[in-house]
Amino acid sequence: RTACAMQAPKQKRKLDDSQAIVRYSRGGKRFEIIAKREAVQQFKQLQKEKGKSNVSIAASDLEDYVDVVKVFLNAAKGEPATKKDLGVFETNDEEQAVCTILMNGDLQVSQADRKDAVAGQLKLLVQIAEVVTKKSFNPEVDVEEGGKKGSRYYTVEEIERHMKNEGYTPKGNRSAKAHALDVIKLLRETDACPIQRQQLKYRVEPESDEAKEAILEKINDKDNEGWALLLDT
């Protein structure tokens, strides 16, 4: 009777909200590490801003990014990478392998993260539409000629519909106001609807007649970019 060595069962790992998996493929194999979600998100954002080659992580800083310095073939199942697997990293130092995965791997997005992202996107679109309704109007409706004042201004639902029809998607980490200016410009360029920005009113008190004449000259000069920019803020 021969004795068979029993293999210890792999310990499955359940991630909490502060953790995330970073995945990286090399040498035909997929490697994973369990990282601190917020720290890695900030690091990846820094990579986007400065370029991957300009941002690095030292082994001495790993505790800021991972809970355990360990490379897995399947982190969720607790399946660790062997020394033979790590040979594709051309080093026997697992810390260096973890650094490589952190710097070059992709942060995996959970289903909960996707739901939050979709909810955040929808909320931002509503905020953008709200700003557009406050900063614009329909120039084809003349209130003085008997038009209804309410119909001169678009509703949030109308702006949302126009944004959807034009396929507008917010890009970048920008405010709703900044996106709203893009939307107004887009709707004007595509003739999606007659729309014009609200005109701002300024009270100017010139110190002299010469200053007054200079200001009036700028007002009447439609080609003056500086004055146009002032009115467009």
Side-chain angles (χ1 to χ4, degrees):
R1 186 177 180 182
T2 59
C4 296
M6 295 183 65
Q7 184 177 6
K10 300 182 180 67
Q11 183 180 1
K12 293 187 177 181
R13 292 175 176 267
K14 185 176 181 181
L15 305 184
D16 59 36
D17 293 338
S18 67
Q19 297 175 313
I21 290 176
V22 177
R23 186 173 294 161
Y24 178 61
S25 294
R26 185 164 180 168
K29 292 186 177 182
R30 188 179 72 183
F31 299 93
E32 297 178 343
I33 58 174
I34 300 175
K36 297 178 180 179
R37 183 186 302 276
E38 186 174 345
V40 175
Q41 285 176 335
Q42 293 175 354
F43 176 74
K44 292 299 180 182
Q45 182 62 36
L46 195 62
Q47 282 187 321
K48 287 182 180 180
E49 295 173 357
K50 296 187 176 182
K52 277 189 175 183
S53 59
N54 298 321
V55 184
S56 61
I57 294 177
S60 58
D61 298 327
L62 281 179
E63 63 180 16
D64 295 331
Y65 298 94
V66 297
D67 289 320
V68 56
V69 182
K70 189 73 178 175
V71 179
F72 298 88
L73 295 180
N74 189 316
K77 293 182 178 180
E79 182 181 350
T82 64
K83 288 186 177 181
K84 183 178 179 181
D85 295 324
L86 295 178
V88 299
F89 291 95
E90 300 177 354
T91 178
N92 293 324
D93 190 343
E94 193 163 20
E95 286 187 348
Q96 290 300 324
V98 172
C99 288
T100 299
I101 295 171
L102 271 173
M103 290 186 288
N104 300 285
D106 296 320
L107 182 65
Q108 302 304 297
V109 181
S110 66
Q111 188 174 0
D113 290 334
R114 292 190 185 94
K115 288 183 179 179
D116 290 342
V118 171
Q121 184 86 331
L122 292 175
K123 183 179 179 180
L124 178 59
L125 288 171
V126 173
Q127 292 173 339
I128 294 171
E130 289 174 345
V131 176
V132 172
T133 59
K134 294 176 181 178
K135 289 187 171 292
S136 65
F137 65 97
N138 183 347
E140 295 185 1
V141 177
D142 193 334
V143 178
E144 294 181 358
E145 294 184 1
K148 294 181 180 179
K149 186 175 182 180
S151 62
R152 196 180 193 203
Y153 301 97
Y154 292 102
T155 65
V156 173
E157 290 75 17
E158 288 174 328
I159 296 299
E160 283 185 291
R161 185 175 68 253
H162 288 307
M163 290 166 60
K164 183 178 180 180
N165 291 341
E166 298 303 321
Y168 181 80
T169 302
K171 295 180 180 179
N173 187 20
R174 304 165 66 207
S175 66
K177 179 180 178 181
H179 285 298
L181 299 180
D182 290 342
V183 170
I184 294 174
K185 182 179 179 181
L186 174 66
L187 297 182
R188 291 187 66 179
E189 291 177 347
T190 58
D191 291 326
C193 62
I195 190 170
Q196 184 174 321
R197 284 198 60 185
Q198 294 277 15
Q199 295 179 342
L200 301 180
K201 295 182 179 180
Y202 293 89
R203 181 181 178 85
V204 181
E205 297 181 357
E207 296 181 353
S208 63
D209 291 339
E210 290 78 7
K212 179 180 179 180
E213 290 298 328
I215 292 173
L216 290 174
E217 184 178 346
K218 287 184 178 181
I219 292 176
N220 295 325
D221 184 4
K222 296 181 179 179
D223 296 327
N224 189 296
E225 295 181 359
W227 186 259
L229 179 61
L230 174 62
L231 291 177
D232 200 42
T233 57

